């Protein structure tokens, strides 16, 4: 099925002086201009193209990949503000419109904003900074430990709000974050759980059984390197723990808890110590 604002694999139908016409099936013939056509393109060849409307609102194909597609979220700069709205640079000749009705706050030229791209009722490809209007419209189906892609949206009192897989809202709690995050940053994250209200808890590191075992080994090795003692307890700061082992305080507490239960370490006020040291 052919869709506006996304990548579509189409077949070259014929060549003309100014480009190639692609078979758009029920959409008719779609022009691929010479300046974006790959060298050696032949009739009958299939190629992936992005479909959008040009400055004259004519359907056109391009092999250029924009910075955002329909159904996606991205951080884009405003290049102009006019009487119809703000225009964003998304990597194509025709800029991407953010109508005034889709602006959470008035957009300013030269600033970057996190936007969602969609096709409006008049079949225009447009963007919106009102992410709540467009995200989390489907029920999230994730399992604990699932690996997802996130884009940081904003910092809140409890942590960071993030877009999960271009579709849903998730939360990174501040006690699970040990490096600076900025609006628009892209990261890999892991599902902690999906709550009954549909909200998604995230963390930036995986906590599989294998990784838990690896962390206990890292702690033991660190102890051996330091004469059997380490001034790092379950009461140490999350930042210091992350600096030392690159994990959350919760993961570290679980690791030393396992070592303690297995009688490999003792936990003192000043730190941890190998048994027999």
């Amino acid at each position: 099925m052919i869709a506006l604002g996304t990548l579509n694999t189409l077949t070259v139908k014929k060549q003309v002086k100014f480009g190639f016409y692609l078979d758009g099936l029920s959409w008719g013939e779609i022009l691929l201009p010479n300046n974006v056509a790959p060298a050696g393109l032949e009739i009958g060849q299939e190629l992936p193209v992005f479909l959008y409307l040009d400055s004259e609102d004519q359907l056109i194909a391009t092999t250029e990949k924009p910075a955002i597609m329909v159904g996606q979220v991205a951080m884009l700069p405003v290049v102009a503000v006019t009487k119809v709205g703000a225009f964003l640079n998304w990597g194509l000749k025709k800029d991407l419109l953010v109508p005034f009705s889709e602006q959470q706050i008035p957009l300013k030229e030269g600033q970057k904003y996190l936007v969602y791209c969609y096709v409006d009722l008049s079949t225009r490809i447009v963007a919106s900074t009102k992410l709540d209007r467009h995200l989390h419209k489907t029920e999230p189906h994730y399992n604990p430990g699932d690996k997802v892609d996130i884009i940081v949206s904003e910092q809140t009192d409890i942590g960071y709000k993030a877009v999960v897989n271009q579709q849903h809202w998730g939360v990174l709690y501040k006690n699970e974050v040990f490096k600076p995050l900025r609006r628009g940053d892209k990261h890999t994250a892991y599902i902690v759980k999906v709550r009954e209200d549909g909200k998604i808890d995230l963390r930036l590191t995986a906590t599989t059984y294998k990784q838990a075992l690896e962390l206990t080994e890292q702690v033991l090795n660190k102890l051996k390197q330091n004469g059997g003692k380490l001034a790092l307890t379950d009461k140490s700061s999350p930042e210091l723990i992350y600096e030392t082992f690159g994990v959350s305080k919760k993961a570290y507490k679980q690791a030393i808890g396992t070592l303690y239960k297995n009688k490999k370490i003792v936990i003192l006020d000043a730190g941890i110590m190998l048994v027999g040291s």
Side-chain angles (χ1 to χ4, degrees), residues 4-259:
L4 191 64
T6 64
L7 288 178
N8 301 263
T9 300
L10 303 182
T11 303
V12 179
K13 191 172 182 180
K14 64 182 179 183
Q15 184 175 7
V16 293
K17 184 178 180 179
F18 44 84
F20 296 82
Y21 277 105
L22 310 179
D23 186 1
L25 304 176
S26 62
W27 290 44
E29 295 180 342
I30 303 172
L31 176 64
L32 176 70
N34 278 326
N35 66 327
V36 290
L41 187 62
E42 298 178 351
I43 294 173
Q45 184 176 336
E46 292 185 342
L47 76 162
V49 292
F50 180 80
L51 300 182
Y52 71 110
L53 302 179
D54 65 14
S55 56
E56 297 178 355
D57 288 334
Q58 297 296 312
L59 184 61
I60 195 166
T62 181
T63 53
E64 296 176 315
K65 188 176 180 182
I68 191 172
M69 297 189 193
V70 167
Q72 295 182 350
V73 175
M75 196 83 167
L76 299 176
V78 175
V79 293
V81 177
T82 71
K83 61 182 180 181
V84 297
F87 286 89
L88 309 173
N89 179 2
W90 62 328
L92 299 182
K93 186 175 180 180
K94 181 185 178 183
D95 296 323
L96 181 62
L97 172 66
V98 183
F100 287 117
S101 61
E102 290 292 335
Q103 296 181 25
Q104 190 75 41
I105 58 173
L107 304 192
K108 297 181 179 180
E109 186 175 339
Q111 298 294 313
K112 287 187 175 182
Y113 298 89
L114 196 63
V115 298
Y116 178 86
C117 184
Y118 70 103
V119 177
D120 69 8
L121 296 177
S122 62
T123 68
R124 299 179 303 176
I125 302 175
V126 296
S128 173
T129 60
K130 296 183 177 181
L131 301 190
D132 285 332
R133 180 179 288 181
H134 302 281
L135 296 176
H136 226 92
K137 298 304 180 184
T138 59
E139 186 177 350
H141 294 288
Y142 303 103
N143 296 312
D146 282 355
K147 187 177 179 179
V148 294
D149 294 318
I150 66 167
I151 301 176
V152 177
S153 171
E154 60 188 291
Q155 188 171 6
T156 69
D157 291 339
I158 60 174
Y160 294 86
K161 195 174 181 181
V163 179
V164 180
N165 283 354
Q166 307 283 352
Q167 301 177 65
H168 301 106
W169 283 119
V171 176
L172 289 163
Y173 292 96
K174 58 185 177 183
N175 64 336
E176 295 279 354
V177 177
F178 310 102
K179 58 183 177 182
L181 297 179
R182 298 178 299 177
R183 186 177 177 87
D185 283 353
K186 296 180 179 181
H187 294 279
T188 295
Y190 299 85
I191 301 294
V192 176
K193 65 179 176 180
V194 178
R195 300 188 176 193
E196 292 184 1
D197 59 5
K199 293 180 180 179
I200 302 170
D201 291 347
L202 303 164
R203 66 164 54 104
L204 292 175
T205 55
T207 54
T208 62
Y209 177 70
K210 179 182 177 182
Q211 287 172 318
L213 287 177
E214 289 176 351
L215 179 56
T216 59
E217 287 300 314
Q218 289 177 32
V219 174
L220 285 174
N221 289 335
K222 195 76 171 177
L223 282 164
K224 293 172 184 177
Q225 294 168 9
N226 287 275
K229 298 179 181 180
L230 187 61
L232 206 63
T233 70
D234 56 359
K235 296 182 177 60
S236 298
S237 72
E239 292 77 15
L240 185 57
I241 292 171
Y242 187 83
E243 182 181 337
T244 306
F245 291 107
V247 299
S248 69
K249 183 172 182 175
K250 182 177 181 180
Y252 179 72
K253 288 174 67 175
Q254 290 173 341
I256 64 173
T258 298
L259 292 171

